[in-house]
Amino acid sequence: MHYLITGGAGFIGSHLAEGLLARGDAVTVLDDLSTGAIRNIRHLKGQPGFSYVVGTVENIPLLAELVDNADKVFHLAAAVGVRLIVESPVRTIETNVKTTEHVLAAACKKKKKVFVASTSEVYGKSVAVPFREDGDLVLGATSRGRWSYACSKAIDEFLAIAYWRERHCPTVIGRCFNTVGPRQTGHYGMVVPRFVKQALRDEPLTVYGDGRQTRCFTHVSDAVRAMIGLMDSDHTVGEVYNLGSERETTILALAERIKELTESKSPITFTPYTEAYGDNFEDMPRRVPSLDKIRAAISWEPRIELDDTLQAVIDYERALEPQPA
Ligand code: UDP
């Protein structure tokens, strides 16, 4: 099989490319390097079946050609990261909606199956934990920029489902819950690479709010295995699946664990959300997936424990730190 991965030079996309190549598939990456980077895929250059194009999904003729050459499409190109969303809402909304429109339109012409990467963020402020795919999405006011991300990805989901129901273009949607691992950047807010970098430098670990908010962190290789499984199965078309770990941890406990694993001298500090993200910010207290649906569909289970996930990020970030002379 030949796969096109939009956003394939990003954190998750580069691991997905690796996973597909490892099982003998061919992969073409399309990435505009806005948040992705060539260094994420440099090690794949020269591998049989791998190619990449630096370009944007908004280049319709280019996209059409790449879709034509592929058997299936993983659509991961998106603007992600809470900091990016809060600071650049126009870019977030436009990128996320337009790219998905373009990819689905191009794929539909040839009825190529598309995996659309969505996010647990779409559950918004829902308190119906664990979140089920058929549960309500509870978003905040439009004056609070954070929700524009959830809303833009919810539109992507509606569109993907509509393309299947109305135009018979096969699509499947994965809602990723806090995927972490090597190559994730902390520039756009993601907590694990940020805490690990801070810990390795003995700088304060900046917990936002009181640190009692929880998340479930998923190792990227578990996430990639789920994405490939959902794409391989014929029974997943037109459906939405949660894809994450059920192990819930508070952000304060996460900071403490990273401090222990790195043997860091960093203090743990508490930063009010207003200072971190401005006045109009809302966080969600808990975010836990129900995995019933994905288990039933493809017998998928997350395999990697939180400590091993954190250790993988620590090893990666440690290798990037300047070594003492
Ligand atoms: N967070 C934090 N310190 C940081 C970055 C993030 O305490 O330096 C918190 C953030 O407020 C949220 C959680 O960590 O409650 C996860 O944040 P992230 O941006 O990684 O993902 P989210 O789940 O919010 O999309």
Side-chain angles (χ1 to χ4, degrees):
M1 281 280 180
H2 183 173
Y3 293 88
L4 171 65
I5 308 178
T6 71
F11 156 56
I12 300 179
S14 64
H15 286 276
L16 177 61
E18 240 171 65
L20 291 167
L21 290 168
R23 66 175 199 172
D25 290 311
V27 172
T28 299
V29 161
L30 172 62
D31 201 300
D32 67 1
L33 305 182
S34 52
T35 55
I38 290 291
R39 71 170 175 280
N40 289 340
I41 51 172
R42 193 172 285 135
H43 62 295
L44 302 177
K45 281 192 205 172
Q47 279 204 24
F50 179 73
S51 61
Y52 74 91
V53 178
V54 176
T56 149
V57 171
E58 293 188 39
N59 181 342
I60 309 284
L62 171 68
L63 177 67
E65 187 186 332
L66 296 178
V67 167
D68 279 359
N69 291 341
D71 297 303
K72 294 183 181 181
V73 181
F74 280 99
H75 174 45
L76 274 59
V80 300
V82 175
R83 182 160 299 285
L84 182 63
I85 287 140
V86 170
E87 287 172 2
S88 310
V90 173
R91 174 175 161 198
T92 306
I93 300 163
E94 291 193 347
T95 306
N96 292 351
V97 177
K98 277 189 197 165
T99 59
T100 306
E101 277 175 16
H102 294 326
V103 169
L104 290 171
C108 190
K109 286 192 181 133
K110 303 288 165 74
K111 300 281 184 277
K112 307 261 165 104
K113 186 169 179 180
V114 185
F115 175 95
V116 174
S118 186
T119 166
S120 55
E121 182 88 11
V122 297
Y123 290 104
K125 295 191 282 187
S126 170
V127 289
V129 174
F131 298 147
R132 290 171 50 88
E133 293 84 343
D134 56 3
D136 288 342
L137 311 186
V138 185
L139 305 186
T142 48
S143 55
R144 297 183 187 268
R146 179 199 185 126
W147 303 117
S148 64
Y149 176 50
C151 210
S152 68
K153 294 309 285 187
I155 286 284
D156 288 352
E157 293 195 13
F158 277 122
L159 204 56
I161 294 169
Y163 263 92
W164 167 239
R165 292 193 183 155
E166 191 183 329
R167 306 216 176 146
H168 312 294
C169 177
T171 57
V172 56
I173 298 155
R175 288 183 183 157
C176 301
F177 281 69
N178 292 79
T179 309
V180 297
R183 294 184 216 136
Q184 185 175 39
T185 158
H187 289 147
Y188 309 107
M190 278 77 165
V191 67
V192 169
R194 285 174 57 80
F195 280 0
V196 167
K197 258 199 170 66
Q198 291 165 346
L200 291 176
R201 295 174 184 177
D202 290 326
E203 293 169 3
L205 268 62
T206 54
V207 170
Y208 297 161
D210 61 11
R212 284 190 293 179
Q213 70 273 34
T214 72
R215 293 293 186 270
C216 297
F217 294 97
T218 317
H219 192 286
V220 64
S221 67
D222 278 335
V224 158
R225 197 163 38 78
M227 290 176 181
I228 295 175
L230 290 172
M231 192 64 133
D232 283 348
S233 166
D234 291 331
H235 308 296
T236 54
V237 167
E239 296 290 333
V240 181
Y241 295 90
N242 289 336
L243 183 170
S245 153
E246 291 166 314
R247 185 193 190 286
E248 195 176 5
T249 180
T250 67
I251 298 303
L252 178 56
L254 177 79
E256 284 165 348
R257 192 65 190 136
I258 289 175
K259 201 177 147 165
E260 278 165 17
L261 290 172
T262 51
E263 297 176 357
S264 170
K265 297 194 217 32
S266 294
I268 294 176
T269 61
F270 295 87
T271 309
Y273 286 117
T274 45
E275 215 173 284
Y277 290 125
D279 280 340
N280 254 332
F281 188 78
E282 267 178 310
D283 201 9
M284 59 277 294
R286 292 179 73 192
R287 192 192 263 172
V288 184
S290 158
L291 299 181
D292 294 350
K293 190 170 171 183
I294 193 166
R295 277 195 181 108
I298 59 166
S299 306
W300 176 83
E301 289 290 335
R303 289 180 191 150
I304 304 182
E305 298 294 334
L306 180 62
D307 268 7
D308 294 328
T309 304
L310 297 178
Q311 194 59 53
V313 178
I314 291 165
D315 294 345
Y316 175 79
E317 293 291 343
R318 196 168 258 145
L320 294 181
E321 287 294 304
Q323 300 304 313

